[in-house]
Amino acid sequence: MIEKKPIIFLLLATLTILVGTVITMVLPFRWINDPKLAIASVKPYTPLQLEGRDIYIREGCNNCHTQTVRPLLSDTERYGEYSKSGEFVYDQPFLWGSRRNGPDLARIGGKYPDAWHVKHMKDPRSMVPRSNMPSYDFLNRPLDTSLSEKKMKALKFPYTPADIQALQGKSEMDAIIAYMQKVGNDIPWRKTGKAEVLGELKNPFQGNMSVLPEGQKLYAEHCAQCHGIELKGEVGPDLRDLDQPDAKVFTSVYGGIAAGGMPSFGDTLGKERTWKVVTYLKSVHRK
């Protein structure tokens, strides 16, 4: 029996481990680093973004948030297009993660405006009522830039003296938000993943006052964090004088406004509930 021959057993065990290591950890890099997988639109981090990434790691954000959308329907429907290897070419170390105490952040860049992130970092439950994330209001302190240039040189990222000079006066909050606005935003996935509206855009609840309580409740749950419970605006604009056609308001809510940092609510609300929100908004305007 082989177990009675320890030298042979040790050699075979070592060989097996080596073969397994080569197959699972060495050979894949032949394909992962294939130049054909490079994404031209993915750019290196700026000094401010790199500082923000270091703060993100320092505060342990990667312990609760993953940064990789798996090619599974449950992931892509919630977070957006699945992650590509070429997106992480400048990540050292990568922050894919494997545990989601909080939502995945691989597509957080450009989803919300900077003001949303500031408010969320200061008081997470003001934006996401069920969040168990702690407050990071203490990040409103000066950014330490003493090593910024050395970091850029070490990673061989392009920069100019003006880029380093621009860090003066920045806070750690500015840096981490700049980083998050870049994550997953180098590829134009929002254009291809945007919720499309099919059929005629006619409000089925126009003039139907019975849907206003539900519309108001949906607004309070999904919209008030940015526009205020009284529609006076804060992160988002004032909605009390929303003098726009129902169809245009529906398109904004259902498909989002990329330029304004407003996410799409089409997948969350669906057409019927979106129309109820529109009916509520327009009823406020008519008062």
Side-chain angles (χ1 to χ4, degrees):
M1 300 295 290
I2 193 170
E3 61 267 21
K4 294 181 180 180
K5 300 177 180 179
I7 302 300
I8 297 177
F9 182 81
L10 178 62
L11 291 174
L12 289 176
T14 302
L15 179 62
T16 302
I17 293 172
L18 288 174
V19 170
T21 300
V22 170
I23 292 175
T24 60
M25 299 183 66
V26 178
L27 290 180
F29 282 93
R30 291 191 59 189
W31 293 276
I32 291 175
N33 294 324
D34 190 336
K36 295 178 182 178
L37 298 178
I39 302 175
S41 58
V42 175
K43 305 298 182 185
Y45 293 103
T46 66
L48 184 62
Q49 292 166 350
L50 185 60
E51 289 293 347
R53 188 173 193 270
D54 286 347
I55 294 169
Y56 182 95
I57 295 172
R58 184 195 73 195
E59 296 303 326
C61 303
N62 52 301
N63 293 324
C64 291
H65 298 281
T66 57
Q67 283 191 24
T68 176
V69 181
R70 298 168 297 181
L72 303 174
L73 184 62
S74 59
D75 265 30
T76 56
E77 281 193 338
R78 181 177 182 183
Y79 299 116
E81 188 171 334
Y82 66 89
S83 299
K84 315 292 192 303
S85 61
E87 295 182 63
F88 307 102
V89 65
Y90 298 113
D91 285 5
Q92 298 182 40
F94 68 82
L95 300 175
W96 296 341
S98 59
R99 187 179 184 186
R100 289 177 180 168
N101 289 330
D104 184 271
L105 299 182
R107 298 286 177 241
I108 194 67
K111 184 176 182 179
Y112 303 108
D114 289 356
W116 186 98
H117 286 289
V118 171
K119 190 175 179 181
H120 179 248
M121 295 295 283
K122 289 181 177 179
D123 181 9
R125 275 157 292 287
S126 69
M127 307 306 286
V128 186
R130 294 186 295 175
S131 174
N132 61 358
M133 173 177 159
S135 169
Y136 287 90
D137 192 26
F138 63 86
L139 293 180
N140 279 306
R141 59 191 181 191
L143 178 66
D144 180 2
T145 62
S146 59
L147 297 176
S148 298
E149 189 168 6
K150 291 182 178 179
K151 292 176 184 178
M152 296 296 287
K153 288 180 177 179
L155 293 171
K156 299 180 180 180
F157 290 168
Y159 71 95
T160 65
D163 293 331
I164 303 299
Q165 185 64 32
L167 295 176
Q168 300 302 315
K170 296 293 185 180
S171 68
E172 291 188 344
M173 185 73 78
D174 295 328
I176 197 170
I177 291 175
Y179 166 64
M180 288 193 292
Q181 291 289 34
K182 174 179 168 57
V183 176
N185 205 24
D186 278 345
I187 60 174
W189 71 274
R190 294 190 192 281
K191 295 180 180 179
T192 58
K194 187 176 180 180
E196 296 292 338
V197 182
L198 302 177
E200 184 181 3
L201 289 181
K202 184 176 180 181
N203 189 348
F205 303 110
Q206 190 169 23
N208 185 351
M209 298 296 102
S210 66
V211 304
L212 294 185
E214 184 178 355
Q216 185 176 16
K217 181 180 178 181
L218 290 168
Y219 171 86
E221 183 179 350
H222 298 282
C223 314
Q225 293 86 350
C226 289
H227 298 282
I229 195 68
E230 297 180 356
L231 288 77
K232 295 180 179 180
E234 187 173 351
V235 174
D238 189 321
L239 299 178
R240 290 173 295 176
D241 190 24
L242 195 61
D243 189 16
Q244 296 180 4
D246 288 12
K248 182 173 178 58
V249 179
F250 177 89
T251 301
S252 298
V253 177
Y254 192 88
I257 305 175
M262 175 176 165
S264 164
F265 287 93
D267 292 336
T268 304
L269 296 175
K271 292 180 68 174
E272 181 175 306
R273 296 202 299 169
T274 300
W275 277 123
K276 290 178 179 178
V277 173
V278 172
T279 303
Y280 167 68
L281 292 173
K282 296 307 295 284
S283 73
V284 175
H285 166 67
R286 296 186 187 101
K287 290 180 180 178

